Amino acid sequence: VIVTSRSMGVVGRIFVLGECLLSDETTANLDVVFTSFELGIKGPGPISIGPVSIPLPRPRGSLKTSFCDDDFRISRGGRGGVFVLKRLKDLR
């Protein structure tokens, strides 16, 4: 998962990394274990921090995918949140 934010010439980016396993091969359910995240900040001019990688205590979650094509995926998380994900051409 990648989150990018821009404000006043500063760009912040968070990468959340994890492992996914199919919980049932006949459905679109995934069990997710988040392993770490990276944080990077690039400011105006030469100001830059990171990316800094921080391990996580392996929190667990789940996703049930209700729609998926070559560009988008719509899933519902284990706590009811809806996620609309767009495939990126370049990860970094």
Side-chain angles (χ1 to χ4, degrees):
V1 176
I2 302 171
V3 177
T4 301
S5 178
R6 291 179 176 84
S7 178
M8 299 185 310
V10 177
V11 177
R13 185 170 280 179
I14 299 172
F15 295 90
V16 180
L17 308 170
E19 303 165 354
C20 297
L21 296 171
L22 282 174
S23 58
D24 180 354
E25 292 196 23
T26 62
T27 65
N29 295 334
L30 286 177
D31 290 329
V32 181
V33 178
F34 299 100
T35 56
S36 66
F37 76 93
E38 294 180 1
L39 172 65
I41 298 172
K42 180 163 177 47
I47 300 170
S48 184
I49 300 171
V52 176
S53 181
I54 300 171
L56 293 173
R58 301 185 68 81
R60 296 182 176 274
S62 63
L63 289 172
K64 180 175 183 175
T65 299
S66 56
F67 175 81
C68 186
D69 67 11
D70 290 341
D71 297 315
F72 290 97
R73 181 173 67 222
I74 300 174
S75 302
R76 183 172 297 275
R79 292 194 264 171
V82 175
F83 301 91
V84 179
L85 305 159
K86 183 179 185 322
R87 184 180 304 271
L88 297 176
K89 303 296 181 207
D90 181 11
L91 290 178
R92 297 189 190 212

